[in-house]
Amino acid sequence: GASGLESIFIGEFARVDGKVRGLGVQRDVAKDEYLICVPQTCWISNDDESLTDRIKQLTQWPRGCANLHRLAIHIAEEKAKGD
């Protein structure tokens, strides 16, 4: 299991072009300190080649699909697999 995550949190952060969700840290962090690793196979983006063909098919509507929608479909399919 994960350990040492007490000071890491998921939050909403202001940017010039709006707000984004991401990871934050509640303490000072050294420049080269290793905090967390998210495997690239867990990343989801418009050009992500790791998306399943099913998710790609479901999100190729004429207007496209936002990353949030791709993520929702991905989570729903993973949840349907059960534990």
Side-chain angles (χ1 to χ4, degrees), residues 3-77:
S3 64
L5 300 176
E6 305 82 29
S7 62
I8 297 176
F9 63 94
I10 297 173
E12 193 171 83
F13 303 92
R15 287 181 29 154
V16 174
D17 57 346
K19 292 183 179 181
V20 296
R21 296 222 3 113
L23 295 177
V25 182
Q26 297 175 327
R27 63 175 177 79
D28 290 339
V29 178
K31 179 180 177 181
D32 296 326
E33 185 176 352
Y34 175 84
L35 292 174
I36 189 168
C37 177
V38 178
Q40 188 169 0
T41 56
C42 294
W43 300 356
I44 297 178
S45 68
N46 287 335
D47 60 350
D48 187 353
E49 295 180 13
S50 69
L51 289 174
T52 65
D53 288 338
R54 176 166 167 71
I55 293 175
K56 288 178 185 177
Q57 180 183 13
L58 291 171
T59 58
Q60 288 183 347
W61 297 308
R63 295 183 189 161
C65 189
N67 286 347
L68 184 60
H69 299 132
R70 289 176 186 254
L71 180 58
I73 292 167
H74 176 74
I75 291 171
E77 291 203 334

